[in-house]
Amino acid sequence: MSHTYRVILRAIIFSISLISVIYFQRTTGRFELLFMTLGLSGILWVLYDYNRGYR
């Protein structure tokens, strides 16, 4: 996969994850907690994928 596509994919995943954390923070419940956790894991995956090249 080329570098440009990886950057675009990271930006899309980060945006969707951040929006899901912010949107589902408004109310409380198990459903919202599940989607906030998925959003957090998406953000952490983007961070891991970015830092993987600097080992």
Side-chain angles (χ1 to χ4, degrees):
M1 185 181 292
S2 72
H3 180 69
T4 306
Y5 292 126
R6 287 187 77 145
V7 170
I8 292 171
L9 182 64
R10 285 182 198 147
I12 291 171
I13 292 174
F14 180 78
S15 300
I16 291 172
S17 299
L18 188 63
I19 288 169
S20 71
V21 169
I22 292 170
Y23 179 76
F24 288 108
Q25 183 185 10
R26 296 181 190 178
T27 56
T28 57
R30 291 183 181 179
F31 179 74
E32 290 81 7
L33 181 62
L34 172 68
F35 277 98
M36 286 193 303
T37 306
L38 289 175
L40 179 62
S41 64
I43 292 170
L44 289 174
W45 179 83
V46 169
L47 186 63
Y48 166 76
D49 190 47
Y50 175 77
N51 285 327
R52 187 170 52 173
Y54 296 107
R55 284 188 181 183

